Amino acid sequence: MKYICLKMKFRPITIKDIAKDLKLSVSTISRALRDSHEISIETKRLVMDYAKKVNYRPNPSALSLQTKRNKSIGIIISQISNSFSSQVINGIESVACEKGYQISIVQTDESFQREVEAVDYLSSRVDGLLISLASETNDIAHLQYLDQQGIPIVLFDRVSTKISTHKTISDNYQGAFNAVQHLINEGFTKIAFIGGAKNLDIVQERNRGYIEALKHNGIEPSQQNIKYCPQGGIHFSETEKVLKELLAGKKKPDAILSCWDKVTVNCYRYFRDNSIKMPEKIALIGFSNFPLTDYVCPSLSVIQQQAEKIGIKAATQLISLLEKKRKPETFETEILMPEIIIRASSTSKKKRAKLENMV
């Protein structure tokens, strides 16, 4: 899509722009684009060719005034195959189905460009959008534009403070804080943090919980033990590189808090592949909604988000926006507490011996 820069704000090209460039009236451009019989074939061809050249897209807000709502919701998410994402989608679909809405899903694969393209594609085809930001997303001008045009948007899981709308998130700070407190209670003190993309609010909240938990217990955080995976661990090699850096350092961690679903699974795989025993050599606990964490050996401790409930809440928020005639003056942020599930990968040797003696 071609964008025009006005005072550092970007907007798509409009009918007025085409009219100015072609030195025709706005009404002529509008009729030509609608293939009106009132406009000559030559003028239609001129307008259509130019519109194609500049990648003109009809204003979705204007279209919505001309057509009835089609009872559809667009979902933009990082990876559909991700267990967390699939559970969120189940929650969204349950609400959408009950309210008579159809859903369309586009995955970004953590790409900012694909997110922009997904927003462009869906915004003129659905009534509203549910969006979880891609790891690469720093600039949300594409979302701010839609918001200015009156297109209902609700953000979930990975959100931004730069746009005012309903949001549904986990209590990422408290989830990370509680996980670190658990590790300290188990006797681990050299705890490393591995997050996803540093630019995301969700990652910063988890990092804040990690740091505050260490300080609360009189442990000074070490920057050497804080790592990020900008691509969210989509490729195993990214997590592998970070783990090698941590384990090669002078102050090797005795435990890891992984703050990204895919990264958690990758950490577990790396330790298993390299015969690094958990938790004897290193303890592991991480954010994950992977369904088989209780069945692997050793079983994996996780901070598990209420994924399906996040989907239910986010869908409910969006449909409430769609069914109101006016934009609300205030917006709500739903915060759901994740559940910490303690298993073998983060249980101290002393406690495990005690448990074994009780059996």
Side-chain angles (χ1 to χ4, degrees):
M1 179 180 289
K2 178 180 177 180
Y3 283 86
I4 293 177
C5 179
L6 294 175
K7 296 182 180 179
M8 299 304 290
K9 291 186 178 180
F10 292 86
R11 63 174 178 81
I13 193 165
T14 66
I15 288 177
K16 288 183 179 179
D17 298 319
I18 297 175
K20 181 179 179 181
D21 291 346
L22 297 181
K23 295 181 171 55
L24 296 170
S25 69
V26 172
S27 61
T28 297
I29 300 297
S30 178
R31 291 190 183 107
L33 291 171
R34 288 187 281 111
D35 197 24
S36 171
H37 68 277
E38 299 172 290
I39 306 300
S40 69
I41 295 175
E42 291 77 16
T43 302
K44 286 181 187 177
R45 185 180 295 115
L46 174 67
V47 172
M48 295 302 290
D49 287 348
Y50 188 80
K52 184 177 181 180
K53 178 183 176 182
V54 298
N55 202 17
Y56 167 76
R57 294 286 186 276
N59 184 317
S61 181
L63 281 177
S64 67
L65 296 175
Q66 301 170 19
T67 61
K68 295 180 180 180
R69 286 168 42 207
N70 56 23
K71 298 282 282 187
S72 64
I73 291 171
I75 304 171
I76 299 175
I77 203 161
S78 59
Q79 284 190 312
I80 298 172
S81 61
N82 180 293
S83 55
F84 170 79
S85 299
S86 62
Q87 291 166 36
V88 170
I89 291 169
N90 283 341
I92 293 171
E93 191 171 33
S94 67
V95 175
C97 183
E98 180 184 342
K99 297 292 185 179
Y101 284 80
Q102 298 293 320
I103 63 172
S104 298
I105 308 169
V106 178
Q107 70 174 13
T108 62
D109 207 26
E110 305 294 6
S111 164
F112 169 70
Q113 184 57 40
R114 288 182 65 173
E115 180 177 293
V116 172
E117 291 169 357
V119 168
D120 180 35
Y121 173 78
L122 288 173
S123 61
S124 60
R125 292 168 171 82
V126 299
D127 299 326
L129 292 171
L130 290 164
I131 303 172
S132 180
L133 299 178
S135 290
E136 290 183 356
T137 299
N138 281 308
D139 180 10
I140 62 163
H142 55 303
L143 302 184
Q144 291 169 330
Y145 169 73
L146 287 188
D147 182 55
Q148 292 165 6
Q149 297 302 308
I151 307 301
I153 300 171
V154 166
L155 301 181
F156 66 91
D157 187 41
R158 307 180 193 177
V159 304
S160 171
T161 57
K162 297 175 183 177
I163 186 168
S164 295
T165 187
H166 292 319
K167 297 162 188 159
T168 296
I169 59 174
S170 292
D171 193 331
N172 294 292
Y173 167 84
Q174 198 62 51
F177 186 101
N178 292 347
V180 172
Q181 186 62 59
H182 154 68
L183 290 171
I184 293 172
N185 292 344
E186 295 295 315
F188 303 105
T189 56
K190 293 178 287 185
I191 304 167
F193 172 96
I194 305 179
K198 188 177 181 179
N199 56 285
L200 293 175
D201 291 349
I202 183 175
V203 176
Q204 288 306 308
E205 279 299 291
R206 292 173 181 179
N207 180 254
R208 189 168 69 88
Y210 158 81
I211 289 173
E212 290 300 318
L214 291 178
K215 289 182 176 179
H216 180 74
N217 288 274
I219 302 172
E220 187 62 30
S222 169
Q223 286 301 316
Q224 293 179 7
N225 281 340
I226 299 176
K227 301 290 183 180
Y228 297 95
C229 294
Q231 295 298 314
I234 285 181
H235 306 293
F236 175 73
S237 58
E238 184 181 35
T239 308
E240 182 180 41
K241 177 178 179 293
V242 165
L243 287 171
K244 285 181 177 179
E245 290 173 358
L246 285 171
L247 298 177
K250 292 182 178 179
K251 298 180 180 179
K252 294 181 182 179
D254 58 7
I256 286 179
L257 168 63
S258 168
C259 288
W260 211 249
D261 197 313
K262 185 69 173 175
V263 173
T264 299
V265 174
N266 287 343
C267 285
Y268 190 95
R269 173 185 166 187
Y270 180 84
F271 295 146
R272 285 291 305 274
D273 289 352
N274 291 277
S275 300
I276 300 173
K277 291 186 177 182
M278 296 172 281
E280 290 87 352
K281 292 293 184 181
I282 192 163
L284 175 64
I285 185 170
F287 280 79
S288 179
N289 279 62
F290 184 65
L292 300 177
T293 49
D294 195 22
Y295 298 97
V296 293
C297 186
S299 56
L300 177 61
S301 295
V302 294
I303 307 109
Q304 186 170 279
Q305 300 181 84
Q306 299 184 57
E308 189 164 346
K309 195 169 183 181
I310 287 175
I312 290 171
K313 290 286 187 180
T316 301
Q317 288 175 325
L318 180 59
I319 291 174
S320 74
L321 289 178
L322 294 173
E323 296 183 348
K324 286 180 180 178
K325 293 183 178 179
R326 295 183 180 179
K327 187 175 182 179
E329 294 182 2
T330 59
F331 295 96
E332 62 180 23
T333 296
E334 288 276 358
I335 304 175
L336 305 179
M337 181 61 66
E339 178 185 6
I340 300 232
I341 303 174
I342 305 305
R343 300 194 179 103
S345 69
S346 66
T347 306
S348 67
K349 184 176 180 180
K350 182 179 179 181
K351 183 170 287 188
R352 282 185 290 114
K354 184 178 179 180
L355 291 173
E356 289 170 2
N357 291 332
M358 292 174 62
V359 177

